[in-house]
Amino acid sequence: MVRQVTKDYIAKVCAVDPATVSLALNNHPRVAASTRLRIQAEARRLGYVPNQAARRLARGRFTRNARAIERVGAVLFDCHIPLRGAYMTLLSGVEQESSDRGGMLVFLRETRDNPGRRLFELGRSGAVDGLVLFGAVDDAAVRQAQTTGLPFVVLGDYVSAIPVHHATVDYPAMGQLAVRHLWDLGHRRIGFLGASMRFGYQREIRDGVKAELRRLGLAVDTEWFQTREGLPILDLTTPVRRLLARRVRPTALVLGESNEATDQLSVLSQAGVKAPDDISLVFCESSDAGPPVPGSTYVDVSMSAVGVAAVALLRQVAAEPDGPSRRVLVTPHLVEGGSSKHKKE
Amino acid sequence: MVRQVTKDYIAKVCAVDPATVSLALNNHPRVAASTRLRIQAEARRLGYVPNQAARRLARGRFTRNARAIERVGAVLFDCHIPLRGAYMTLLSGVEQESSDRGGMLVFLRETRDNPGRRLFELGRSGAVDGLVLFGAVDDAAVRQAQTTGLPFVVLGDYVSAIPVHHATVDYPAMGQLAVRHLWDLGHRRIGFLGASMRFGYQREIRDGVKAELRRLGLAVDTEWFQTREGLPILDLTTPVRRLLARRVRPTALVLGESNEATDQLSVLSQAGVKAPDDISLVFCESSDAGPPVPGSTYVDVSMSAVGVAAVALLRQVAAEPDGPSRRVLVTPHLVEGGSSKHKKE
DNA sequence: CTGAAAGCGCTTACAG
DNA sequence: CTGAAAGCGCTTACAG
């Protein structure tokens, strides 16, 4: 075990009181600049790292209420579906923003077997200063978070009527950007391929597409809007087939769920429809995994940026606990690849 | 803020000394059973949760050396490739095993910009009792972990010559199980489709396939062993094409990388080769995401079980720090679906 | 078997 | 501007 470098030790070396060391290292203005610099230099030289446990314990004595967000508890509400890579990216964003400010991240999973227990214990144990909730967040989850008394923010999709602070992707903008790109390339017959529509983000992307089409004065042809809603769960291809069966086909498509892109493309290719020559394609992607299909044009958004935004929001919420519900939206952007091109005349 | 229920408060209610409460709640044998039960009941009733910070601080006074693993630091070494869903599942396994024993998980990412810094600070801060390393773990990563003085375990694939404690999947067994299943179905011409072979797990699966073929007295025909080694990075389909170009085709295939399954299947289907009628397929999957293709036969392994195993191993390592390098392998199992069947006579 | 004490390393209000 | 003190909530060695 490495010998712990304590504030007392630094105090001895610098010939000052331990209290002064504490104030100096926390950049308290009451310490003379020269003293502060001397102490900070010595601390750096010795590789001093404050003892987290002692710090938290000592602070608890005074600031009974709102304190700075140093340790963030990231709580994943389990969803009984495979854990997606996007969660990992969200989490790494939360971690980044916590660590960069000298804090750290505690990761916790709430299970359905014993709902609320871990969250309750986390709240009482004093181990974290605030919470970020993600996964299958619903009314029960929000209420559990409320009982901890800690400030919290919901990250990404959730289903709850209770107003909360919320950081997520600007999903409507994804649909909007995709349509706008195709419009700029000269396309006027633009369709949409969606997935199950069971998740909020899927519906938001779709609504963004519709809204932008209307804004541009284009027909929102329901025949060109195909989703898997109402279809068997494993049927990934019928929407594409239906779309191809239309008398007049769209010249361009927005694909709302990049996870299903490969299957959709294989139906297109089997039907002899090639991108971008026969049809322009824009994918919507939100997993930081690069192009959903090599070389494709897609609307991208950084999930880790959403994690960063959530922690930043959490700090605001902690500083002003009684403010109104806040919402932060991370803006997507278009990445041009080879799957879209100007409409042939 | 919720009023903190402290041991002092319980002591007052139970009319005993705070020290007795501490001993009782930690199941110390020196406390009379009746007293212990009375105190524990009261603590439960009041919803008492011990203050983590105080506990760690107090414990630090005595046990300077090996202590129980309560708080685990999960350190992800960044890899500049998209974060895979499998990492999330690993992490949730680590979290589960930590939480179930009343502990918790601190998640940390080591970045390339400032290697070792966060790990160093984590070690000094006294925030965790042991480490689990995963991601792009190499010699430098292992050495950084060593300097913390904390017990640690490597989780999953890594590249380092330094002997470490290690928990991972029994990848050779995946290949072995797949071959054995096909053999049992009567197949004698069994091939293998691999990916880039840049990762250790890919090579281990392949070697497991080869070893089992030899064990069964089957020819290891190199023409039926196709990988993407040496091919352009985005070329996912050439291996399948090469395999199909052989004069004598295999009647069954082990697919080593389920991420690439969809692409491989589409080549097969374009060539008019259908599973399982023309060829039996067994996929290797390790992301807890269910069948890589709906209804397929695959060798599965629970990555969260690997996370659980890693923490269990960490406890052993902490208890006996000077023991030899330990290694825990999680065993995969076969899930039968429709993509494999008895060989036609 | 239980009580009273010391102290983990830190922070901040209070004196000087 | 700095020092000396009190105390955060807990654990464990030491007395009784």
Side-chain angles (χ1 to χ4, degrees):
Chain A
M1 199 58 120
V2 188
R3 167 88 182 82
Q4 172 105 283
V5 181
T6 65
K7 283 205 161 73
D8 277 26
Y9 182 69
I10 298 175
K12 220 157 275 167
V13 174
C14 292
V16 291
D17 192 86
T20 308
V21 176
S22 175
L23 294 170
L25 293 183
N26 289 317
N27 283 312
H28 202 288
R30 287 201 309 189
V31 179
S34 62
T35 321
R36 177 161 44 81
L37 291 174
R38 188 161 55 92
I39 292 172
Q40 286 175 345
E42 193 61 27
R44 216 179 355 261
R45 196 179 66 78
L46 293 168
Y48 170 74
V49 176
N51 181 308
Q52 296 269 353
R55 170 173 280 185
R56 315 209 110 236
L57 187 57
R59 286 209 175 130
R61 183 178 167 199
F62 303 95
T63 61
R64 274 253 156 272
N65 33 19
R67 58 179 164 201
I69 300 292
E70 203 158 71
R71 202 124 91 196
V72 177
V75 183
L76 175 62
F77 289 83
D78 237 349
C79 14
H80 287 281
I81 60 168
L83 292 169
R84 299 181 303 162
Y87 283 153
M88 193 70 213
T89 323
L90 277 174
L91 200 64
S92 77
V94 175
E95 190 278 332
Q96 183 189 313
E97 175 65 7
S98 310
S99 295
D100 285 354
R101 305 280 213 98
M104 64 185 14
L105 174 67
V106 172
F107 173 60
L108 203 75
R109 232 182 38 185
E110 263 295 341
T111 56
R112 300 242 182 231
D113 336 334
N114 213 330
R117 194 179 64 91
R118 289 190 188 167
L119 203 43
F120 171 80
E121 289 179 358
L122 186 69
R124 287 289 181 93
S125 73
V128 300
D129 309 302
L131 302 172
V132 166
L133 316 181
F134 66 122
V137 177
D138 54 15
D139 281 338
V142 171
R143 269 193 294 268
Q144 283 157 24
Q146 284 171 336
T147 62
T148 63
L150 293 167
F152 69 94
V153 161
V154 177
L155 184 49
D157 252 14
Y158 74 103
V159 184
S160 169
I162 306 170
V164 293
H165 306 291
H166 186 208
T168 191
V169 170
D170 189 347
Y171 287 112
M174 293 188 83
Q176 184 185 334
L177 271 174
V179 170
R180 173 60 78 161
H181 173 71
L182 292 168
W183 165 274
D184 289 344
L185 292 176
H187 292 279
R188 296 300 176 263
R189 301 206 305 269
I190 300 173
F192 174 79
L193 269 181
S196 67
M197 297 295 130
R198 288 189 303 136
F199 300 108
Y201 75 90
Q202 299 172 335
R203 295 188 293 269
E204 290 188 22
I205 291 175
R206 179 199 57 195
D207 294 345
V209 168
K210 284 194 177 171
E212 186 66 9
L213 287 176
R214 291 211 187 85
R215 203 170 298 135
L216 295 169
L218 296 180
V220 179
D221 189 322
T222 52
E223 300 200 331
W224 296 339
F225 264 72
Q226 294 291 341
T227 73
R228 299 202 287 107
E229 225 171 350
L231 293 174
I233 192 105
L234 290 175
D235 181 358
L236 304 183
T237 55
T238 294
V240 202
R241 285 184 224 285
R242 284 185 179 161
L243 206 132
L244 291 173
R246 296 298 154 203
R247 201 176 40 83
V248 181
R249 288 180 183 173
T251 63
L253 271 185
V254 177
L255 296 100
E257 181 63 85
S258 64
N259 292 332
E260 305 180 357
T262 325
D263 296 270
Q264 294 164 340
L265 286 185
S266 82
V267 177
L268 286 176
S269 95
Q270 276 165 35
V273 178
K274 289 205 169 58
D277 290 323
D278 306 320
I279 197 162
S280 275
L281 302 178
V282 178
F283 301 82
C284 297
E285 173 68 43
S286 55
S287 69
D288 296 56
V293 175
S296 52
T297 298
Y298 62 107
V299 178
D300 195 23
V301 68
S302 163
M303 292 310 272
S304 68
V306 180
V308 169
V311 177
L313 180 58
L314 185 58
R315 293 188 207 283
Q316 287 177 36
V317 169
E320 196 195 336
D322 298 321
S325 287
R326 295 158 190 269
R327 190 183 168 89
V328 174
L329 294 177
V330 173
T331 308
H333 57 274
L334 191 103
V335 181
E336 283 208 56
S339 68
S340 65
K341 69 167 195 178
H342 278 89
K343 188 180 177 301
K344 283 180 292 193
E345 294 314 320
Chain B
M1 199 56 121
V2 188
R3 167 89 182 83
Q4 172 105 282
V5 180
T6 65
K7 284 205 162 71
D8 277 26
Y9 181 69
I10 297 176
K12 221 158 273 167
V13 174
C14 292
V16 291
D17 192 86
T20 307
V21 177
S22 175
L23 294 170
L25 293 182
N26 289 317
N27 283 311
H28 202 287
R30 285 199 311 189
V31 179
S34 62
T35 321
R36 177 161 42 82
L37 291 175
R38 188 162 55 93
I39 292 171
Q40 286 175 346
E42 194 61 28
R44 217 180 351 262
R45 197 179 67 77
L46 293 168
Y48 170 73
V49 177
N51 181 308
Q52 296 269 353
R55 170 173 278 185
R56 313 209 113 237
L57 187 57
R59 285 211 175 127
R61 183 176 167 201
F62 304 96
T63 61
R64 274 253 157 272
N65 32 21
R67 58 178 163 201
I69 301 292
E70 203 158 71
R71 202 123 92 194
V72 177
V75 184
L76 174 63
F77 289 83
D78 238 349
C79 12
H80 286 278
I81 60 169
L83 292 169
R84 300 181 301 161
Y87 283 153
M88 194 68 213
T89 323
L90 278 174
L91 199 65
S92 77
V94 175
E95 190 279 333
Q96 183 188 313
E97 175 66 7
S98 309
S99 295
D100 284 354
R101 306 282 213 97
M104 64 185 14
L105 174 67
V106 172
F107 173 60
L108 203 75
R109 234 181 37 185
E110 263 295 344
T111 55
R112 301 241 181 233
D113 336 333
N114 212 330
R117 194 179 63 92
R118 288 190 189 168
L119 204 42
F120 171 79
E121 289 180 358
L122 186 69
R124 287 289 180 94
S125 73
V128 299
D129 309 302
L131 302 171
V132 166
L133 316 181
F134 66 122
V137 177
D138 55 14
D139 281 338
V142 171
R143 270 194 293 270
Q144 284 158 23
Q146 283 171 336
T147 61
T148 63
L150 292 168
F152 68 95
V153 161
V154 177
L155 184 49
D157 253 14
Y158 74 103
V159 184
S160 168
I162 306 171
V164 293
H165 306 291
H166 185 207
T168 191
V169 170
D170 189 347
Y171 287 112
M174 293 187 83
Q176 183 185 334
L177 271 174
V179 169
R180 173 60 77 161
H181 172 72
L182 292 169
W183 165 274
D184 289 344
L185 292 176
H187 292 278
R188 296 298 177 265
R189 300 206 306 269
I190 300 173
F192 174 79
L193 269 183
S196 66
M197 296 295 130
R198 288 189 303 135
F199 300 108
Y201 75 91
Q202 298 172 336
R203 294 188 293 269
E204 290 189 21
I205 291 175
R206 178 198 59 195
D207 294 345
V209 168
K210 283 194 177 170
E212 186 65 10
L213 287 176
R214 291 212 187 84
R215 204 170 298 136
L216 294 169
L218 296 181
V220 179
D221 188 322
T222 52
E223 299 200 332
W224 296 338
F225 264 72
Q226 293 292 343
T227 72
R228 300 202 286 106
E229 224 170 350
L231 294 174
I233 192 103
L234 289 176
D235 181 358
L236 305 182
T237 56
T238 294
V240 201
R241 285 185 224 285
R242 285 186 178 160
L243 206 131
L244 290 174
R246 296 300 154 201
R247 198 176 43 81
V248 181
R249 288 180 182 173
T251 63
L253 269 185
V254 178
L255 296 100
E257 181 65 84
S258 63
N259 292 332
E260 305 179 359
T262 325
D263 296 271
Q264 294 164 340
L265 286 186
S266 83
V267 177
L268 286 175
S269 95
Q270 276 165 35
V273 178
K274 288 206 169 58
D277 291 322
D278 305 320
I279 196 162
S280 275
L281 302 178
V282 179
F283 301 83
C284 297
E285 174 66 44
S286 55
S287 70
D288 297 57
V293 175
S296 52
T297 297
Y298 62 106
V299 178
D300 195 22
V301 68
S302 164
M303 293 308 272
S304 68
V306 180
V308 169
V311 177
L313 180 59
L314 184 59
R315 293 187 206 283
Q316 287 177 36
V317 169
E320 196 195 336
D322 298 322
S325 287
R326 295 158 190 269
R327 191 182 168 90
V328 174
L329 293 177
V330 173
T331 308
H333 57 275
L334 190 104
V335 181
E336 284 208 55
S339 69
S340 66
K341 69 166 196 178
H342 277 90
K343 188 180 177 301
K344 283 181 291 192
E345 295 315 318

